[in-house]
Amino acid sequence: MPEQIRQDATSPWHRGELVMQRSVGVVERMDGPGRNFVRKAMPEQHRAFFPMLPFLVLGAVDANGDVWATVRAGRPGFMSSPDPEVLDVDLPRDPADPADAGMEDGDAIAMLGIQLETRRRNRLNGVIRRTDAEAFRLRVGQSFGNCPQYIQPRSSVFVRDPDRPTTAAPLHSAQLDDRMRGMIEDADTFFVASYVDRDHGERQVDVSHRGGYAGFVHLGADGVLTIPDFSGNRFFNTLGNFLVNPKAGLVFIDFETGDMLQMAGTVEVLLDSPDITAFQNAERLWRFTPAEIVLRPDALPLRWSKENTDLLRRSRG
């Protein structure tokens, strides 16, 4: 039986998302899922999910309007939900993280909770309320789940106390060096942040996962990244944002060393290009030109492993 569409809920889609949905002929079909599944509060399973996680992916916008993606870690329990409209996050400020500048009281941010070993993921966005430098409260704007497609299963362990920051200094650059290029070219996973300022005045930030086989991101000699966009849930949150605002923030993780490569730049979306056929199963492409680059060695206190047959079995259900 078709699911009843919530007529009391407004459509969450903005004009960029609608353009993307129209490009594949699903605007009418996506109206019901938008009203039903993009909620202003977390369902119980999401409220129970976030406290289990040892890390969190965030998207934040700095004072210059540049958007950054980042990953922050904490012992499970560093997030909690006292009620469905709120997520409390115990995370100290981190001045080495370029995304931290977009996490002031009143800032709009995005969150992705992702459990790599089970391939579960849930997304949130909303506004920060902060009373000190050690924690903040997120008032939920949108909450919704995602399918496990393209998530590469991994298990993680802490190699140091997550409250103890690394002593390695970040490296700021305008160009990619060999180490940075290697992180991109070998990656099977990265995270991307984007945002739009809605017509009613609210800023809506998004952060999401991208995955594929290692090497699925093409890096040109000019430093431009070309990313295939595969079949998904047809929400088009990220690409829809790009059509309205081309700014993007990407973060790549070296899962063996805890290094993070963060980049802020601009995107071009290619809906119809002969280059699409060069990427197996790609439906469209987007190109990212980095403008600011930060390599943060040993930034994360976690190390991940994917060499585990039991993990692969459990991840496939």
Short mmCIF file of all heavy atoms in Angstrom, two decimals, residues 99-163:
data_model
loop_
_atom_site.label_atom_id
_atom_site.label_comp_id
_atom_site.label_asym_id
_atom_site.label_seq_id
_atom_site.Cartn_x
_atom_site.Cartn_y
_atom_site.Cartn_z
N ALA A 99 37.05 24.42 10.13
CA ALA A 99 35.59 24.41 10.30
C ALA A 99 35.16 25.00 11.63
O ALA A 99 34.01 25.42 11.77
CB ALA A 99 35.07 22.98 10.16
N ASP A 100 36.08 25.04 12.58
CA ASP A 100 35.71 25.49 13.92
C ASP A 100 35.21 26.93 13.93
O ASP A 100 34.39 27.31 14.76
CB ASP A 100 36.91 25.34 14.86
CG ASP A 100 36.52 25.42 16.32
OD1 ASP A 100 35.96 24.43 16.85
OD2 ASP A 100 36.73 26.50 16.93
N ALA A 101 35.71 27.74 12.99
CA ALA A 101 35.30 29.15 12.92
C ALA A 101 33.82 29.31 12.60
O ALA A 101 33.25 30.38 12.84
CB ALA A 101 36.14 29.89 11.88
N GLY A 102 33.21 28.26 12.07
CA GLY A 102 31.78 28.32 11.76
C GLY A 102 30.90 27.66 12.80
O GLY A 102 29.77 27.27 12.49
N MET A 103 31.43 27.52 14.01
CA MET A 103 30.68 26.85 15.07
C MET A 103 30.48 27.76 16.27
O MET A 103 30.62 27.34 17.43
CB MET A 103 31.39 25.55 15.49
CG MET A 103 31.53 24.55 14.36
SD MET A 103 32.28 23.00 14.93
CE MET A 103 32.77 22.27 13.37
N GLU A 104 30.15 29.01 15.97
CA GLU A 104 29.85 29.96 17.05
C GLU A 104 28.36 29.87 17.42
O GLU A 104 27.55 29.30 16.68
CB GLU A 104 30.18 31.39 16.60
CG GLU A 104 31.61 31.61 16.17
CD GLU A 104 32.59 31.54 17.33
OE1 GLU A 104 32.14 31.59 18.49
OE2 GLU A 104 33.80 31.43 17.07
N ASP A 105 28.03 30.44 18.55
CA ASP A 105 26.63 30.47 18.97
C ASP A 105 25.77 31.14 17.89
O ASP A 105 26.10 32.22 17.41
CB ASP A 105 26.51 31.25 20.29
CG ASP A 105 25.08 31.32 20.79
OD1 ASP A 105 24.45 30.26 20.90
OD2 ASP A 105 24.60 32.45 21.02
N GLY A 106 24.72 30.46 17.48
CA GLY A 106 23.82 30.99 16.46
C GLY A 106 24.15 30.57 15.05
O GLY A 106 23.37 30.86 14.13
N ASP A 107 25.28 29.88 14.83
CA ASP A 107 25.66 29.44 13.49
C ASP A 107 24.84 28.22 13.06
O ASP A 107 24.56 27.32 13.87
CB ASP A 107 27.15 29.08 13.43
CG ASP A 107 28.04 30.30 13.38
OD1 ASP A 107 27.52 31.40 13.09
OD2 ASP A 107 29.25 30.16 13.62
N ALA A 108 24.54 28.17 11.77
CA ALA A 108 23.91 26.98 11.19
C ALA A 108 25.00 26.00 10.79
O ALA A 108 26.01 26.39 10.18
CB ALA A 108 23.08 27.36 9.96
N ILE A 109 24.83 24.73 11.13
CA ILE A 109 25.79 23.70 10.77
C ILE A 109 25.05 22.47 10.27
O ILE A 109 23.82 22.39 10.35
CB ILE A 109 26.70 23.31 11.96
CG1 ILE A 109 25.91 22.61 13.05
CG2 ILE A 109 27.44 24.51 12.50
CD1 ILE A 109 26.78 21.87 14.06
N ALA A 110 25.83 21.51 9.79
CA ALA A 110 25.27 20.21 9.39
C ALA A 110 26.05 19.11 10.09
O ALA A 110 27.22 19.28 10.45
CB ALA A 110 25.38 20.03 7.88
N MET A 111 25.40 17.99 10.29
CA MET A 111 26.02 16.83 10.92
C MET A 111 25.67 15.57 10.13
O MET A 111 24.56 15.44 9.62
CB MET A 111 25.50 16.63 12.35
CG MET A 111 25.88 17.69 13.33
SD MET A 111 25.21 17.22 14.95
CE MET A 111 25.94 18.49 15.96
N LEU A 112 26.64 14.68 10.07
CA LEU A 112 26.41 13.34 9.55
C LEU A 112 26.92 12.35 10.59
O LEU A 112 28.11 12.32 10.90
CB LEU A 112 27.16 13.13 8.22
CG LEU A 112 27.23 11.69 7.71
CD1 LEU A 112 25.85 11.18 7.32
CD2 LEU A 112 28.20 11.59 6.54
N GLY A 113 26.00 11.55 11.12
CA GLY A 113 26.40 10.44 11.98
C GLY A 113 26.53 9.21 11.09
O GLY A 113 25.58 8.84 10.40
N ILE A 114 27.70 8.60 11.08
CA ILE A 114 27.93 7.46 10.20
C ILE A 114 28.67 6.38 10.97
O ILE A 114 29.66 6.66 11.65
CB ILE A 114 28.68 7.87 8.91
CG1 ILE A 114 28.80 6.70 7.94
CG2 ILE A 114 30.01 8.51 9.20
CD1 ILE A 114 29.23 7.12 6.53
N GLN A 115 28.17 5.17 10.89
CA GLN A 115 28.76 4.02 11.57
C GLN A 115 29.31 3.12 10.47
O GLN A 115 28.57 2.37 9.83
CB GLN A 115 27.68 3.30 12.40
CG GLN A 115 28.20 2.32 13.40
CD GLN A 115 27.06 1.81 14.29
OE1 GLN A 115 26.02 1.40 13.79
NE2 GLN A 115 27.25 1.83 15.60
N LEU A 116 30.62 3.22 10.22
CA LEU A 116 31.19 2.55 9.06
C LEU A 116 31.08 1.04 9.15
O LEU A 116 30.93 0.36 8.13
CB LEU A 116 32.64 2.97 8.88
CG LEU A 116 32.89 4.45 8.56
CD1 LEU A 116 34.38 4.73 8.42
CD2 LEU A 116 32.16 4.86 7.28
N GLU A 117 31.16 0.47 10.37
CA GLU A 117 31.13 -0.99 10.48
C GLU A 117 29.77 -1.58 10.12
O GLU A 117 29.68 -2.72 9.67
CB GLU A 117 31.55 -1.44 11.88
CG GLU A 117 30.70 -0.93 13.01
CD GLU A 117 31.24 0.36 13.61
OE1 GLU A 117 31.71 1.21 12.83
OE2 GLU A 117 31.16 0.51 14.85
N THR A 118 28.69 -0.81 10.31
CA THR A 118 27.35 -1.30 9.94
C THR A 118 26.79 -0.57 8.71
O THR A 118 25.74 -0.95 8.21
CB THR A 118 26.36 -1.09 11.09
OG1 THR A 118 26.24 0.31 11.36
CG2 THR A 118 26.83 -1.82 12.34
N ARG A 119 27.48 0.48 8.27
CA ARG A 119 27.11 1.29 7.12
C ARG A 119 25.80 2.06 7.37
O ARG A 119 25.13 2.44 6.43
CB ARG A 119 27.02 0.43 5.86
CG ARG A 119 28.33 -0.27 5.52
CD ARG A 119 28.16 -1.35 4.49
NE ARG A 119 27.81 -0.81 3.20
CZ ARG A 119 27.03 -1.47 2.32
NH1 ARG A 119 26.53 -2.64 2.63
NH2 ARG A 119 26.76 -0.93 1.16
N ARG A 120 25.46 2.28 8.63
CA ARG A 120 24.30 3.14 8.95
C ARG A 120 24.73 4.60 8.90
O ARG A 120 25.87 4.94 9.25
CB ARG A 120 23.75 2.83 10.34
CG ARG A 120 23.05 1.50 10.48
CD ARG A 120 22.54 1.33 11.90
NE ARG A 120 21.51 2.31 12.24
CZ ARG A 120 21.07 2.51 13.49
NH1 ARG A 120 21.58 1.82 14.49
NH2 ARG A 120 20.12 3.40 13.71
N ARG A 121 23.81 5.48 8.50
CA ARG A 121 24.11 6.92 8.52
C ARG A 121 22.81 7.70 8.65
O ARG A 121 21.78 7.32 8.08
CB ARG A 121 24.85 7.36 7.27
CG ARG A 121 24.18 7.01 5.97
CD ARG A 121 24.92 7.58 4.77
NE ARG A 121 24.56 6.89 3.54
CZ ARG A 121 24.87 7.30 2.33
NH1 ARG A 121 25.53 8.43 2.18
NH2 ARG A 121 24.53 6.62 1.27
N ASN A 122 22.90 8.76 9.42
CA ASN A 122 21.77 9.67 9.60
C ASN A 122 22.28 11.10 9.58
O ASN A 122 23.38 11.39 10.06
CB ASN A 122 21.06 9.39 10.93
CG ASN A 122 20.37 8.04 10.93
OD1 ASN A 122 19.57 7.73 10.06
ND2 ASN A 122 20.71 7.20 11.91
N ARG A 123 21.46 11.99 9.00
CA ARG A 123 21.89 13.37 8.82
C ARG A 123 21.02 14.33 9.61
O ARG A 123 19.84 14.09 9.85
CB ARG A 123 21.87 13.73 7.32
CG ARG A 123 23.04 13.11 6.59
CD ARG A 123 22.76 12.87 5.14
NE ARG A 123 22.75 14.09 4.34
CZ ARG A 123 22.69 14.05 3.01
NH1 ARG A 123 22.65 12.90 2.38
NH2 ARG A 123 22.69 15.17 2.32
N LEU A 124 21.63 15.44 9.96
CA LEU A 124 20.97 16.50 10.74
C LEU A 124 21.47 17.84 10.24
O LEU A 124 22.60 17.96 9.77
CB LEU A 124 21.38 16.44 12.21
CG LEU A 124 20.74 15.49 13.19
CD1 LEU A 124 21.41 15.68 14.54
CD2 LEU A 124 19.26 15.75 13.31
N ASN A 125 20.65 18.85 10.34
CA ASN A 125 21.17 20.20 10.30
C ASN A 125 20.37 21.05 11.27
O ASN A 125 19.32 20.63 11.77
CB ASN A 125 21.18 20.80 8.88
CG ASN A 125 19.80 20.88 8.27
OD1 ASN A 125 18.81 21.17 8.95
ND2 ASN A 125 19.71 20.63 6.97
N GLY A 126 20.89 22.23 11.57
CA GLY A 126 20.21 23.09 12.55
C GLY A 126 21.13 24.20 12.99
O GLY A 126 22.12 24.51 12.33
N VAL A 127 20.80 24.78 14.12
CA VAL A 127 21.51 25.95 14.63
C VAL A 127 22.12 25.62 15.99
O VAL A 127 21.50 24.99 16.84
CB VAL A 127 20.55 27.15 14.75
CG1 VAL A 127 21.24 28.34 15.41
CG2 VAL A 127 20.03 27.55 13.37
N ILE A 128 23.36 26.09 16.17
CA ILE A 128 24.12 25.87 17.41
C ILE A 128 23.68 26.85 18.49
O ILE A 128 23.51 28.04 18.24
CB ILE A 128 25.63 26.05 17.14
CG1 ILE A 128 26.20 24.83 16.42
CG2 ILE A 128 26.39 26.31 18.43
CD1 ILE A 128 27.69 24.96 16.14
N ARG A 129 23.55 26.33 19.68
CA ARG A 129 23.45 27.16 20.88
C ARG A 129 24.62 26.77 21.77
O ARG A 129 24.79 25.62 22.12
CB ARG A 129 22.12 26.95 21.60
CG ARG A 129 20.93 27.48 20.81
CD ARG A 129 21.09 28.96 20.51
NE ARG A 129 20.07 29.48 19.58
CZ ARG A 129 20.24 30.56 18.85
NH1 ARG A 129 21.38 31.25 18.91
NH2 ARG A 129 19.28 30.98 18.04
N ARG A 130 25.46 27.77 22.09
CA ARG A 130 26.70 27.49 22.81
C ARG A 130 26.79 28.39 24.03
O ARG A 130 26.58 29.61 23.94
CB ARG A 130 27.89 27.74 21.89
CG ARG A 130 29.24 27.42 22.49
CD ARG A 130 30.35 27.83 21.54
NE ARG A 130 30.48 26.97 20.38
CZ ARG A 130 31.09 25.79 20.37
NH1 ARG A 130 31.60 25.31 21.50
NH2 ARG A 130 31.19 25.09 19.25
N THR A 131 27.12 27.77 25.17
CA THR A 131 27.32 28.55 26.39
C THR A 131 28.77 28.53 26.85
O THR A 131 29.16 29.33 27.70
CB THR A 131 26.43 28.02 27.54
OG1 THR A 131 26.72 26.63 27.73
CG2 THR A 131 24.96 28.20 27.20
N ASP A 132 29.58 27.61 26.29
CA ASP A 132 31.00 27.58 26.64
C ASP A 132 31.77 26.93 25.50
O ASP A 132 31.20 26.55 24.48
CB ASP A 132 31.25 26.85 27.98
CG ASP A 132 30.76 25.41 27.94
OD1 ASP A 132 31.06 24.69 26.97
OD2 ASP A 132 30.08 24.99 28.89
N ALA A 133 33.10 26.80 25.70
CA ALA A 133 33.97 26.29 24.64
C ALA A 133 34.07 24.77 24.64
O ALA A 133 34.79 24.20 23.82
CB ALA A 133 35.37 26.89 24.77
N GLU A 134 33.38 24.11 25.53
CA GLU A 134 33.54 22.67 25.66
C GLU A 134 32.38 21.88 25.06
O GLU A 134 32.47 20.65 24.96
CB GLU A 134 33.67 22.30 27.16
CG GLU A 134 34.87 22.94 27.84
CD GLU A 134 36.19 22.54 27.18
OE1 GLU A 134 36.35 21.35 26.87
OE2 GLU A 134 37.03 23.43 26.96
N ALA A 135 31.30 22.54 24.68
CA ALA A 135 30.12 21.81 24.21
C ALA A 135 29.18 22.77 23.50
O ALA A 135 29.31 24.00 23.61
CB ALA A 135 29.40 21.16 25.39
N PHE A 136 28.25 22.19 22.73
CA PHE A 136 27.18 23.00 22.15
C PHE A 136 25.93 22.15 22.04
O PHE A 136 25.96 20.92 22.16
CB PHE A 136 27.58 23.59 20.80
CG PHE A 136 27.86 22.57 19.71
CD1 PHE A 136 26.83 22.00 18.97
CD2 PHE A 136 29.16 22.20 19.41
CE1 PHE A 136 27.08 21.08 17.96
CE2 PHE A 136 29.43 21.27 18.40
CZ PHE A 136 28.39 20.71 17.68
N ARG A 137 24.83 22.82 21.83
CA ARG A 137 23.54 22.16 21.62
C ARG A 137 23.06 22.49 20.23
O ARG A 137 23.08 23.66 19.81
CB ARG A 137 22.53 22.62 22.67
CG ARG A 137 21.09 22.26 22.36
CD ARG A 137 20.19 22.47 23.56
NE ARG A 137 20.40 21.41 24.56
CZ ARG A 137 19.63 21.25 25.64
NH1 ARG A 137 18.63 22.09 25.89
NH2 ARG A 137 19.86 20.27 26.49
N LEU A 138 22.65 21.47 19.47
CA LEU A 138 22.09 21.70 18.14
C LEU A 138 20.56 21.63 18.22
O LEU A 138 20.00 20.62 18.66
CB LEU A 138 22.58 20.64 17.14
CG LEU A 138 22.06 20.90 15.72
CD1 LEU A 138 22.93 21.93 15.01
CD2 LEU A 138 22.01 19.62 14.90
N ARG A 139 19.92 22.71 17.79
CA ARG A 139 18.45 22.72 17.65
C ARG A 139 18.15 22.22 16.23
O ARG A 139 18.55 22.84 15.26
CB ARG A 139 17.91 24.12 17.88
CG ARG A 139 16.43 24.27 17.70
CD ARG A 139 15.62 23.52 18.73
NE ARG A 139 15.85 23.98 20.11
CZ ARG A 139 15.24 23.47 21.17
NH1 ARG A 139 14.37 22.47 21.02
NH2 ARG A 139 15.53 23.92 22.36
N VAL A 140 17.45 21.10 16.12
CA VAL A 140 17.28 20.41 14.84
C VAL A 140 16.44 21.23 13.87
O VAL A 140 15.35 21.72 14.22
CB VAL A 140 16.62 19.04 15.05
CG1 VAL A 140 16.35 18.35 13.70
CG2 VAL A 140 17.50 18.16 15.92
N GLY A 141 16.98 21.40 12.64
CA GLY A 141 16.20 21.99 11.56
C GLY A 141 15.63 20.92 10.65
O GLY A 141 14.46 20.94 10.28
N GLN A 142 16.50 19.97 10.27
CA GLN A 142 16.09 18.84 9.44
C GLN A 142 16.79 17.59 9.95
O GLN A 142 17.96 17.62 10.32
CB GLN A 142 16.44 19.06 7.97
CG GLN A 142 15.68 20.18 7.29
CD GLN A 142 16.06 20.33 5.83
OE1 GLN A 142 17.18 20.05 5.44
NE2 GLN A 142 15.11 20.78 5.02
N SER A 143 16.07 16.48 9.92
CA SER A 143 16.62 15.18 10.32
C SER A 143 16.11 14.14 9.34
O SER A 143 14.92 14.07 9.06
CB SER A 143 16.16 14.84 11.74
OG SER A 143 16.35 13.46 12.02
N PHE A 144 17.05 13.34 8.80
CA PHE A 144 16.62 12.26 7.91
C PHE A 144 17.72 11.22 7.80
O PHE A 144 18.89 11.48 8.05
CB PHE A 144 16.23 12.78 6.52
CG PHE A 144 17.28 13.61 5.82
CD1 PHE A 144 18.10 13.03 4.87
CD2 PHE A 144 17.43 14.95 6.10
CE1 PHE A 144 19.05 13.79 4.20
CE2 PHE A 144 18.39 15.72 5.46
CZ PHE A 144 19.20 15.14 4.51
N GLY A 145 17.32 10.02 7.42
CA GLY A 145 18.26 8.92 7.26
C GLY A 145 18.66 8.75 5.81
O GLY A 145 18.05 9.31 4.90
N ASN A 146 19.74 7.98 5.61
CA ASN A 146 20.21 7.66 4.26
C ASN A 146 20.45 6.15 4.17
O ASN A 146 20.67 5.48 5.19
CB ASN A 146 21.53 8.37 3.95
CG ASN A 146 21.33 9.80 3.46
OD1 ASN A 146 22.14 10.66 3.70
ND2 ASN A 146 20.24 10.07 2.78
N CYS A 147 20.44 5.64 2.95
CA CYS A 147 20.72 4.24 2.72
C CYS A 147 22.24 3.98 2.82
O CYS A 147 23.03 4.92 2.82
CB CYS A 147 20.21 3.81 1.36
SG CYS A 147 21.17 4.47 -0.01
N PRO A 148 22.64 2.70 2.90
CA PRO A 148 24.08 2.39 3.08
C PRO A 148 24.89 2.34 1.80
O PRO A 148 26.07 1.98 1.84
CB PRO A 148 24.04 1.01 3.74
CG PRO A 148 22.80 0.38 3.20
CD PRO A 148 21.80 1.50 3.07
N GLN A 149 24.30 2.71 0.67
CA GLN A 149 25.02 2.59 -0.60
C GLN A 149 26.38 3.31 -0.58
O GLN A 149 26.49 4.41 -0.06
CB GLN A 149 24.19 3.20 -1.74
CG GLN A 149 23.07 2.34 -2.23
CD GLN A 149 22.53 2.86 -3.54
OE1 GLN A 149 22.84 2.32 -4.60
NE2 GLN A 149 21.72 3.90 -3.48
N TYR A 150 27.37 2.64 -1.17
CA TYR A 150 28.71 3.19 -1.42
C TYR A 150 29.54 3.42 -0.15
O TYR A 150 30.60 4.02 -0.22
CB TYR A 150 28.62 4.51 -2.22
CG TYR A 150 27.66 4.43 -3.38
CD1 TYR A 150 26.53 5.24 -3.44
CD2 TYR A 150 27.84 3.51 -4.41
CE1 TYR A 150 25.62 5.17 -4.50
CE2 TYR A 150 26.94 3.42 -5.46
CZ TYR A 150 25.84 4.25 -5.50
OH TYR A 150 24.94 4.16 -6.54
N ILE A 151 29.04 2.97 1.01
CA ILE A 151 29.84 3.09 2.24
C ILE A 151 30.76 1.88 2.34
O ILE A 151 30.30 0.74 2.34
CB ILE A 151 28.93 3.18 3.49
CG1 ILE A 151 28.06 4.45 3.42
CG2 ILE A 151 29.77 3.17 4.76
CD1 ILE A 151 27.07 4.57 4.57
N GLN A 152 32.06 2.13 2.44
CA GLN A 152 33.04 1.06 2.59
C GLN A 152 33.15 0.71 4.07
O GLN A 152 33.45 1.57 4.89
CB GLN A 152 34.41 1.53 2.06
CG GLN A 152 34.40 1.98 0.61
CD GLN A 152 34.15 0.83 -0.36
OE1 GLN A 152 34.31 -0.33 -0.02
NE2 GLN A 152 33.74 1.16 -1.58
N PRO A 153 32.89 -0.57 4.44
CA PRO A 153 32.87 -0.93 5.87
C PRO A 153 34.26 -0.90 6.49
O PRO A 153 35.23 -1.36 5.90
CB PRO A 153 32.29 -2.35 5.87
CG PRO A 153 32.58 -2.88 4.51
CD PRO A 153 32.53 -1.71 3.58
N ARG A 154 34.34 -0.32 7.68
CA ARG A 154 35.59 -0.25 8.43
C ARG A 154 35.27 -0.32 9.92
O ARG A 154 34.21 0.15 10.34
CB ARG A 154 36.34 1.06 8.16
CG ARG A 154 36.99 1.17 6.81
CD ARG A 154 37.71 2.51 6.66
NE ARG A 154 38.61 2.52 5.52
CZ ARG A 154 38.24 2.83 4.28
NH1 ARG A 154 36.98 3.18 4.02
NH2 ARG A 154 39.11 2.81 3.29
N SER A 155 36.20 -0.85 10.70
CA SER A 155 36.10 -0.78 12.15
C SER A 155 37.18 0.16 12.66
O SER A 155 38.21 0.35 12.01
CB SER A 155 36.25 -2.17 12.78
OG SER A 155 37.50 -2.72 12.42
N SER A 156 36.97 0.75 13.84
CA SER A 156 37.90 1.76 14.34
C SER A 156 38.32 1.47 15.77
O SER A 156 37.59 0.80 16.53
CB SER A 156 37.27 3.16 14.27
OG SER A 156 36.14 3.24 15.12
N VAL A 157 39.51 1.96 16.13
CA VAL A 157 39.99 1.91 17.51
C VAL A 157 40.63 3.27 17.83
O VAL A 157 41.16 3.95 16.94
CB VAL A 157 41.04 0.79 17.72
CG1 VAL A 157 40.40 -0.58 17.52
CG2 VAL A 157 42.24 0.98 16.82
N PHE A 158 40.57 3.64 19.11
CA PHE A 158 41.28 4.85 19.55
C PHE A 158 42.75 4.51 19.78
O PHE A 158 43.08 3.47 20.35
CB PHE A 158 40.67 5.38 20.85
CG PHE A 158 39.40 6.16 20.63
CD1 PHE A 158 38.16 5.57 20.87
CD2 PHE A 158 39.44 7.47 20.20
CE1 PHE A 158 36.98 6.28 20.67
CE2 PHE A 158 38.27 8.20 20.00
CZ PHE A 158 37.04 7.60 20.23
N VAL A 159 43.64 5.40 19.34
CA VAL A 159 45.07 5.22 19.60
C VAL A 159 45.57 6.25 20.62
O VAL A 159 46.74 6.20 21.01
CB VAL A 159 45.90 5.33 18.30
CG1 VAL A 159 45.56 4.19 17.38
CG2 VAL A 159 45.67 6.68 17.62
N ARG A 160 44.71 7.17 21.03
CA ARG A 160 45.04 8.07 22.13
C ARG A 160 43.72 8.61 22.68
O ARG A 160 42.66 8.45 22.06
CB ARG A 160 45.95 9.22 21.68
CG ARG A 160 45.33 10.21 20.73
CD ARG A 160 46.23 11.44 20.53
NE ARG A 160 45.58 12.43 19.69
CZ ARG A 160 45.69 12.46 18.36
NH1 ARG A 160 46.44 11.56 17.74
NH2 ARG A 160 45.06 13.38 17.66
N ASP A 161 43.80 9.25 23.82
CA ASP A 161 42.62 9.86 24.42
C ASP A 161 42.09 10.94 23.46
O ASP A 161 42.86 11.83 23.06
CB ASP A 161 43.01 10.50 25.76
CG ASP A 161 41.80 11.00 26.53
OD1 ASP A 161 40.83 11.46 25.89
OD2 ASP A 161 41.83 10.94 27.77
N PRO A 162 40.81 10.89 23.08
CA PRO A 162 40.30 11.89 22.14
C PRO A 162 40.32 13.32 22.69
O PRO A 162 40.23 14.27 21.92
CB PRO A 162 38.87 11.42 21.86
CG PRO A 162 38.51 10.54 23.00
CD PRO A 162 39.79 9.90 23.44
N ASP A 163 40.45 13.46 24.00
CA ASP A 163 40.56 14.81 24.57
C ASP A 163 41.97 15.38 24.46
O ASP A 163 42.19 16.55 24.76
CB ASP A 163 40.14 14.78 26.05
CG ASP A 163 38.66 14.51 26.20
OD1 ASP A 163 37.89 14.86 25.28
OD2 ASP A 163 38.26 13.94 27.24
#
